[in-house]
Amino acid sequence: MRIATWNVNSIRTRFGRVVDWLQREDIDVLAMQEIKCRPDQFPVEAFEQAGYHLEINGLNQWNGVAFASRHEMTDVAHGFDGMPGFGKPIKGQEGVQGTGPNGLPLEARALGVTVGDLRLWSLYVPNGRSLDDPHLEYKLEWLAALRSNTEAWLDEDPDLPLALMGDWNIAPLDADMGDPSFVQGRSTHVSPAERAAFESFAPFVSDVVRPIVPEGFTFWDYKAGRFPKNEGMRIDFIMGSQAFADTVTGASIHRDERRGDAPSDHVPVVADIDPSLLGGTFEDDYDRPMVF
């Protein structure tokens, strides 16, 4: 079974690439970020024709997360407890957004689903923008709320196979930052506070890809020829609980998806898992899509 995450940077622009990749790589579940559309704008038909169910959390042209899965998804959650909001209401979406505990509008940055025994989250962590921008404090508050929830979920069920997947907008190690425009002490993504926030998840979840793929970036800016020069960042992760990590049999970063016509600036990150190792009730006899 193949579980993946991919910041697609506008699904309406890139759905053809995404669906082609899903089928070519035999992906069972894909967590997407930055879909940049409402559910009614999502290219649903292309995914359904390829044999995928969808769950979508999106608002207008900003942010947005989604899942495409060959298997049934249940226990759908749009956001997590205590998730803070930010900014002003999006025009036309005021009644849909809701507000966080800080009284500000909730953004479409988190979507949770259950697939068989797996509890999966598609996460688009706030960028932070700059060290003196209010968006950085929002980012840290957002991560603190996610960490509190992660601890609570695993306190309730220590054997939960949980995966937090997505664009974390943090390069936790120096080796994860190859973009020379990001500098310690002057830039987000590498600041001590952000790295400490990432590290705070360590008692509960770990990067299931790094032990298998220790090197490699997942994002290259469109500007300044960053991709040809391999000046990228490793900021997209699959962070799994011990019960999830114990099922992982392989992993990969699909760098070639940054090539070609109109690519996303991120590439997919994949974990191969063996559902039989879950020791639960996961059923792997779902119908597979027929591809001719």
Side-chain angles (χ1 to χ4, degrees):
M1 184 175 183
R2 308 199 84 190
I3 308 293
T5 183
W6 192 358
N7 179 322
V8 296
N9 190 17
S10 180
I11 192 60
R12 288 180 289 177
T13 300
R14 299 185 172 85
F15 70 88
R17 287 188 66 128
V18 174
V19 171
D20 174 73
W21 179 81
L22 284 169
Q23 295 177 298
R24 178 165 27 94
E25 296 297 332
D26 196 27
I27 303 298
D28 290 277
V29 184
L30 173 65
M32 291 173 272
Q33 301 86 43
E34 271 202 284
I35 60 170
K36 295 183 176 179
C37 68
R38 302 186 308 267
D40 63 293
Q41 298 170 317
F42 198 100
V44 171
E45 185 176 358
F47 285 83
E48 291 183 341
Q49 287 181 349
Y52 290 87
H53 308 284
L54 291 165
E55 290 293 343
I56 304 162
N57 181 15
L59 296 165
N60 279 351
Q61 75 269 34
W62 306 109
N63 307 321
V65 285
F67 274 101
S69 174
R70 286 171 167 168
H71 314 312
E72 180 184 6
M73 293 177 281
T74 60
D75 303 321
V76 179
H78 289 210
F80 45 82
D81 290 346
M83 188 174 77
F86 186 80
K88 299 177 181 179
I90 298 173
K91 186 176 181 180
Q93 297 287 302
E94 294 86 352
V96 178
Q97 282 185 270
T99 56
N102 58 0
L104 299 177
L106 290 174
E107 297 184 306
R109 292 184 175 273
L111 179 65
V113 299
T114 295
V115 178
D117 293 319
L118 305 173
R119 185 60 178 170
L120 308 175
W121 282 87
S122 180
L123 303 169
Y124 181 40
V125 176
N127 179 282
R129 298 178 183 169
S130 68
L131 296 183
D132 59 355
D133 194 293
H135 208 256
L136 179 58
E137 186 60 31
Y138 166 51
K139 179 180 191 173
L140 297 175
E141 291 175 359
W142 199 95
L143 286 165
L146 176 62
R147 182 203 175 280
S148 294
N149 278 270
T150 302
E151 181 177 11
W153 296 330
L154 292 172
D155 277 349
E156 182 178 350
D157 183 359
D159 297 321
L160 177 67
L162 168 72
L164 309 180
M165 306 188 291
D167 178 358
W168 287 69
N169 271 314
I170 299 171
L173 305 179
D174 287 347
D176 298 331
M177 178 53 72
D179 187 327
S181 66
F182 283 75
V183 179
Q184 274 278 11
R186 297 190 311 205
S187 307
T188 61
H189 293 57
V190 293
S191 73
E194 290 165 283
R195 286 179 165 178
F198 189 94
E199 181 63 25
S200 73
F201 286 83
F204 315 109
V205 293
S206 62
D207 183 350
V208 302
V209 176
R210 195 184 295 275
I212 301 167
V213 189
E215 298 179 348
F217 300 134
T218 65
F219 167 89
W220 296 261
D221 200 304
Y222 293 123
K223 301 188 294 291
R226 295 291 185 219
F227 182 66
K229 291 185 285 188
N230 198 32
E231 294 177 342
M233 311 180 197
R234 189 172 186 146
I235 57 176
D236 301 87
F237 300 98
I238 300 175
M239 306 291 288
S241 65
Q242 190 62 55
F244 182 91
D246 286 345
T247 72
V248 175
T249 59
S252 49
I253 296 173
H254 289 229
R255 188 179 190 277
D256 283 349
E257 290 306 311
R258 185 60 174 77
R259 306 182 190 275
D261 294 332
S264 172
D265 42 8
H266 296 251
V267 297
V269 178
V270 178
D272 299 302
I273 71 169
D274 183 349
S276 69
L277 299 176
L278 288 166
T281 59
F282 192 95
E283 298 178 10
D284 62 354
D285 59 350
Y286 295 89
D287 291 336
R288 289 296 185 92
M290 299 297 292
V291 180
F292 300 95

